[in-house]
Amino acid sequence: MQEYYSPVGGLPGRDQLLTGRAIFTDAYAVIPRGVMTDIVTSRLPNWDMTRAWVLARPLTGFAETFSETILEIAQGGGSSKPEPDPDAEAVLFVLSGSGHLKADGEDFELAEGSYAYLAPGCEWSLLVGSNAAHPLKCVWIRKRYETIEGVAPPRSFVTRDQDVQPTSMPGYDGAWSTTRFVDPDDVAHDMHVNIVNFAPGASIPFAETHVMEHGLYMLHGKGVYRLNGDWVEVEAGDFLWLRAFCPQACYAGGPAPFRYLLYKNVNRHMPLSPGR
């Protein structure tokens, strides 16, 4: 069984209906996996033999704090100058394949489930060997780091989903849990990229309404989300953007566990001017 879904590209057949699940509102957006075809990919400067599905970017009426992209890096591809913004921090999460990451002079071999936090100002590269069996597919989440006087920025690190014990939500006995890769009380971090886990039939039983902006990439399984009064079906490979304060709740559909990679901005004062 494939642990994490990644785009397959291609194009739908000419006999397919136009109707789909894609929707874009001022409170949320749904980008289903079926729209991640060959014709919506981007090529990025300084990335060789790589194509990108851009899921979110800062844009009026859309994502404000982050960008999220799925990279497909062919054998022999990658980048030695991947990040154009010196203030950016990032997370890489590997969906399939393998590659070599160098971050601040340290070498890491990445494989399915690898999680790399790349601190602001980190010098890094990501390369896939010419003899690799398959392309590397990974989620790349970027945010401009917000400094705090007297608090040092976090350091880069690499871990794996398989090596982190999920934390159960209180009273749920593991049916609803979060795989946390950083300490949630560490205010040096201004974003959290976690994995949220639901057993089949588990739910968020109330409409969360809060200040964090969200990006959710569905890794595994399926579910039904309640977003700003609408019911939305999602499955592995779909992406959701949720605006700050968008009411949100969900059910896990089964029969397999439902898991998604969650971005949210955290641990900072609220700016008193829009857009800052």
Side-chain angles (χ1 to χ4, degrees), residues 3 33 218-223 234-237 253-259:
E3 190 65 28
R33 71 187 195 184
M218 309 300 156
L219 295 171
H220 193 266
K222 61 183 180 179
V234 292
E235 64 179 339
F258 178 44
R259 309 186 75 210

Coordinates of all heavy atoms in Angstrom, one line a residue, residues 3 33 218-223 234-237 253-259:
E3 N 2.0 4.7 1.1 CA 1.8 5.4 2.3 C 1.4 6.8 2.1 O 0.5 7.3 2.9 CB 3.1 5.3 3.2 CG 2.9 5.8 4.6 CD 2.0 4.9 5.4 OE1 2.0 3.7 5.1 OE2 1.4 5.4 6.3
R33 N -6.9 16.3 -6.5 CA -5.7 15.7 -7.1 C -5.9 15.5 -8.6 O -4.9 15.5 -9.4 CB -5.4 14.3 -6.5 CG -6.4 13.2 -6.8 CD -6.1 12.0 -6.0 NE -6.8 10.8 -6.4 CZ -6.7 9.6 -5.8 NH1 -6.1 9.5 -4.7 NH2 -7.4 8.5 -6.3
M218 N -3.6 16.2 1.6 CA -4.1 14.9 2.0 C -3.1 13.8 1.6 O -2.9 13.5 0.5 CB -5.5 14.6 1.4 CG -6.5 15.7 1.6 SD -6.8 16.1 3.3 CE -7.4 17.8 3.2
L219 N -2.6 13.1 2.7 CA -1.6 12.1 2.4 C -2.2 10.7 2.2 O -1.6 9.9 1.4 CB -0.6 12.0 3.7 CG 0.2 13.2 4.0 CD1 0.9 13.1 5.3 CD2 1.3 13.5 2.8
H220 N -3.3 10.4 2.9 CA -3.8 9.0 2.9 C -5.2 9.0 3.3 O -5.7 9.8 4.1 CB -2.9 8.2 3.9 CG -3.1 6.7 3.8 ND1 -4.0 6.0 4.5 CD2 -2.5 5.8 3.0 CE1 -4.0 4.7 4.2 NE2 -3.1 4.6 3.3
G221 N -6.0 8.1 2.7 CA -7.4 7.9 3.0 C -8.3 9.0 2.5 O -8.0 9.7 1.5
K222 N -9.5 9.1 3.1 CA -10.5 10.1 2.6 C -11.3 10.6 3.8 O -11.3 10.0 4.9 CB -11.4 9.4 1.6 CG -12.2 8.2 2.1 CD -13.0 7.6 1.0 CE -13.8 6.4 1.5 NZ -14.7 5.8 0.5
G223 N -12.0 11.7 3.6 CA -12.8 12.3 4.6 C -13.8 13.2 4.1 O -13.9 13.5 2.9
V234 N -13.0 15.0 0.5 CA -11.6 15.0 0.1 C -11.0 13.6 0.2 O -11.5 12.7 0.9 CB -10.8 16.0 1.0 CG1 -11.2 17.4 0.8 CG2 -11.0 15.6 2.5
E235 N -9.9 13.4 -0.6 CA -9.2 12.1 -0.6 C -7.7 12.4 -0.7 O -7.3 13.5 -1.0 CB -9.7 11.3 -1.8 CG -9.4 11.9 -3.1 CD -9.9 11.0 -4.3 OE1 -10.1 9.8 -4.1 OE2 -10.1 11.5 -5.4
A236 N -7.0 11.3 -0.6 CA -5.5 11.4 -0.7 C -5.1 12.1 -2.0 O -5.6 11.8 -3.1 CB -4.9 10.1 -0.6
G237 N -4.2 13.1 -1.9 CA -3.8 13.9 -3.1 C -4.5 15.2 -3.2 O -4.0 16.0 -4.0
G253 N -13.4 9.1 6.6 CA -14.4 8.3 5.9 C -14.1 6.8 6.0 O -15.0 6.0 5.8
G254 N -12.8 6.4 6.2 CA -12.5 5.0 6.2 C -12.5 4.4 4.8 O -12.8 5.1 3.8
P255 N -12.2 3.1 4.6 CA -11.8 2.2 5.6 C -10.4 2.3 6.1 O -10.0 1.7 7.1 CB -12.0 0.8 4.9 CG -11.6 1.2 3.4 CD -12.2 2.6 3.2
A256 N -9.6 3.1 5.5 CA -8.2 3.3 5.9 C -8.1 4.5 6.8 O -9.0 5.4 6.8 CB -7.3 3.4 4.7
P257 N -7.0 4.7 7.6 CA -6.8 5.9 8.3 C -6.7 7.1 7.4 O -6.4 7.0 6.2 CB -5.5 5.7 9.0 CG -5.3 4.2 9.1 CD -6.0 3.7 7.8
F258 N -7.1 8.3 7.9 CA -7.2 9.5 7.1 C -6.0 10.4 7.7 O -6.0 10.7 8.9 CB -8.5 10.2 7.3 CG -8.7 11.5 6.7 CD1 -8.2 11.8 5.4 CD2 -9.3 12.6 7.3 CE1 -8.4 13.0 4.8 CE2 -9.5 13.8 6.7 CZ -9.1 14.0 5.4
R259 N -5.1 10.8 6.9 CA -3.9 11.6 7.3 C -3.7 12.8 6.4 O -3.8 12.6 5.2 CB -2.7 10.7 7.4 CG -2.8 9.4 8.1 CD -1.5 8.7 8.2 NE -0.6 9.4 9.2 CZ 0.7 9.4 9.1 NH1 1.4 8.9 8.1 NH2 1.5 10.0 10.1

